[in-house]
Amino acid sequence: MDETRVEKPRLSGKPASAIIAACIVAAPFSAAQPAAADTLPPLASTVPAAGAEIIGEQWLTSRTLQLTVATEAFTAPVPVEVTFPNNYDSAGNWPVTYYTAGTNHDETTFRAAYNGEAVTASYPSIVVSPRGDSGYWSDWFNLGAGGPPKYETFVASQLVPLIDANFRTIPDRAHRAIMGESMGGYGTLMLAARHPDEFAAAASLSGAPDSNWAGGMAAISASPTLQGATPDSIYGPRATEEVRWRGHNPTDLAANLSSVDLQVFTGNGILDATRETGAADSSGCSIEAGIVRPESLSLHQRLLTLGIPHAWQDIPWGCHSPALFDYEMAQAVQRFQTVFSQPASTTSHSFDYSSIEPSFTTFGWHITADPGRAPEFIDIEGVSANGLTITGSGNTTITTPPLFQGAKPVTLTIDGIPTSVVQPDKNGTITFTVRQGAPDAQQQYTIGAATNRTTSTVVITR
């Protein structure tokens, strides 16, 4: 395979302790090293994007290219494997599937441990697998200091545009999916829930998607120690920072997933001797039965309560093992292929979204919380060009997407009272403020905290 295989043409004018150990250790593997690899200089057409830059390349197989990416999200450059479809050389652009690996696994897991190239032999998608270490695919709180590592920022905000800028992708949400095993299953659904405008489909392969359960709490608390960091570096101690945990927990954020095609897989913790063999596979039975299945069931029940369609696969065998992950992965990519083949909807849709961030953007709506507000959820519901319902405290500023191009001034009615007439800007957006009393000064979910969130309904009339 030569260098021209991965050159991207220009698109639209742009350049181409024991219980804790059981909780946090994913199925073991030994990554086979390639027999030969060619080291290539950076491609002439490689361009930086969103604060990330490709600074090195190495072919590992005839289909998989290892990138070295420099980014301030980490203290050192990080490796990312990109596996191309077998006929990538043919004309046209391709969907992209992101793979988030489990605890102590890395960018090689998809290819070297779980037969990723064989599973995707006929899968019409590029597969991108970044290194996740034991970081739970999150930006770390670092006991209030913030800063690196920032796994979420890297994947959702930097890697996606970097891949789109440098390879022949179809650079839209309708052709982008994400999947992962174990810790990576949590990461997959967390990323999809916090960024539903980035991913059309998501699959948790024996993930643990409800950190309100003891198993999930223990794993997240202890995992940073595997990287030499202090326990609870990811979200902070649960007792004092519960809102940060909930703000990343897929089950708490389930309403955000209403527009994502979801697959939730779990085994039952019973070894299938015809598929799973050896001590390594049997050691994962307690993990699958005692942590993965109850947490996955919790998410499943939450999705049912919310009326959110999803594919629930409660597999009648399986321990936390490579054999189970391979089986789940093969099912997941089949459904992804169906999603990619469906035409993207051209109609606008209403959506619900919850976030604890002081400022966030989703589906083109930008929300900024009152700067005096302590960490708490803002919930927006029924969001559309006709308005929304918002629950929060303080003064929240909202900027719409460009929905009002060429329109006359629009009238805002809040809780049944006409409040203002707003002229759209030249791009067709409007900005307004919803006032919901004094901002809460105490962090939500903190023991003894007094919070007073208010719900307001905004109607936009053109």
Side-chain angles (χ1 to χ4, degrees):
M1 184 179 299
D2 59 27
E3 182 174 326
T4 60
R5 178 179 180 105
V6 293
E7 287 182 352
K8 178 184 175 73
R10 296 179 182 270
L11 299 173
S12 302
K14 297 180 180 179
S17 120
I19 187 168
I20 291 178
C23 292
I24 62 180
V25 178
F29 74 96
S30 176
Q33 297 300 313
D38 297 323
T39 300
L40 301 176
L43 294 173
S45 60
T46 294
V47 295
E53 182 176 10
I54 298 170
I55 61 171
E57 298 173 317
Q58 184 179 53
W59 285 106
L60 303 177
T61 74
S62 63
R63 287 178 56 197
T64 299
L65 176 67
Q66 183 190 70
L67 307 178
T68 301
V69 180
T71 164
E72 291 184 358
F74 302 105
T75 57
V78 292
V80 176
E81 290 197 5
V82 181
T83 299
F84 299 95
N86 269 312
N87 52 345
Y88 181 80
D89 283 333
S90 64
N93 298 329
W94 299 88
V96 184
T97 303
Y98 289 83
Y99 187 86
T100 53
T103 298
N104 262 0
H105 289 181
D106 59 24
E107 73 286 349
T108 70
T109 301
F110 169 79
R111 171 186 56 83
Y114 301 145
N115 305 309
E117 289 190 350
V119 170
T120 60
S122 60
Y123 180 49
S125 173
I126 299 167
V127 180
V128 179
S129 180
R131 173 167 289 184
D133 304 304
S134 57
Y136 270 78
W137 299 100
S138 299
D139 289 4
W140 286 17
F141 181 55
N142 282 325
L143 306 183
K150 302 173 72 172
Y151 298 95
E152 179 182 357
T153 290
F154 179 62
V155 175
S157 301
Q158 297 181 332
L159 190 57
V160 167
L162 185 69
I163 294 299
D164 284 344
N166 288 284
F167 301 99
R168 295 207 318 271
T169 71
I170 306 175
D172 61 27
R173 176 185 183 268
H175 295 90
R176 192 179 298 128
I178 186 168
M179 66 177 173
E181 106 281 352
S182 194
M183 177 193 78
Y186 169 96
T188 282
L189 296 182
M190 182 273 291
L191 289 167
R194 286 171 59 87
H195 305 275
D197 53 346
E198 290 280 357
F199 304 100
S204 170
L205 316 177
S206 287
D210 188 357
S211 62
N212 294 321
W213 284 71
M217 292 184 201
I220 294 173
S221 291
S223 282
T225 64
L226 299 176
Q227 293 178 222
T230 304
D232 286 320
S233 290
I234 300 176
Y235 304 135
R238 173 84 181 197
T240 58
E241 303 292 343
E242 183 174 344
V243 68
R244 301 185 192 279
W245 289 67
R246 291 184 178 270
H248 294 81
N249 183 26
T251 301
D252 280 292
L253 299 177
N256 295 8
L257 293 163
S258 62
S259 63
V260 180
D261 188 274
L262 295 173
Q263 301 177 73
V264 182
F265 294 87
T266 182
N268 65 359
I270 299 176
L271 191 75
D272 183 338
T274 66
R275 306 172 190 248
E276 302 170 296
T277 58
D281 286 353
S282 61
S283 68
C285 295
S286 60
I287 297 174
E288 197 75 20
I291 299 173
V292 169
R293 189 174 183 276
E295 291 195 24
S296 296
L297 183 60
S298 176
L299 174 63
H300 167 58
Q301 292 172 334
R302 177 64 175 157
L303 292 168
L304 290 176
T305 298
L306 294 171
I308 296 176
H310 60 288
W312 166 244
Q313 292 217 27
D314 192 2
I315 301 166
W317 61 275
C319 298
H320 212 59
S321 70
L324 181 61
F325 302 152
D326 285 351
Y327 173 84
E328 294 169 337
M329 190 190 304
Q331 306 304 306
V333 298
Q334 288 182 23
R335 186 175 179 106
F336 286 169
Q337 187 167 345
T338 299
V339 172
F340 294 150
S341 68
Q342 296 170 345
S345 173
T346 58
T347 60
S348 60
H349 71 287
S350 66
F351 65 91
D352 301 343
Y353 187 80
S354 297
S355 178
I356 64 166
E357 300 304 321
S359 180
F360 60 89
T361 300
T362 186
F363 294 108
W365 291 75
H366 184 70
I367 315 295
T368 302
D370 192 306
R373 186 208 70 167
E376 69 178 10
F377 275 99
I378 288 178
D379 305 319
I380 52 177
E381 299 176 284
V383 184
S384 75
N386 299 319
L388 71 155
T389 298
I390 179 169
T391 301
S393 70
N395 298 333
T396 303
T397 303
I398 301 173
T399 299
T400 72
L403 300 172
F404 310 102
Q405 292 172 329
K408 296 178 180 180
V410 301
T411 300
L412 295 177
T413 301
I414 301 180
D415 294 332
I417 303 172
T419 59
S420 62
V421 175
V422 182
Q423 176 65 51
D425 67 13
K426 64 181 181 180
N427 298 318
T429 71
I430 64 172
T431 299
F432 57 95
T433 299
V434 180
R435 306 182 190 282
Q436 297 180 292
D440 285 330
Q442 295 177 300
Q443 189 164 292
Q444 192 178 13
Y445 295 109
T446 301
I447 295 174
T451 58
N452 186 28
R453 297 196 307 147
T454 301
T455 299
S456 299
T457 298
V458 179
V459 176
I460 304 173
T461 305
R462 286 166 281 184

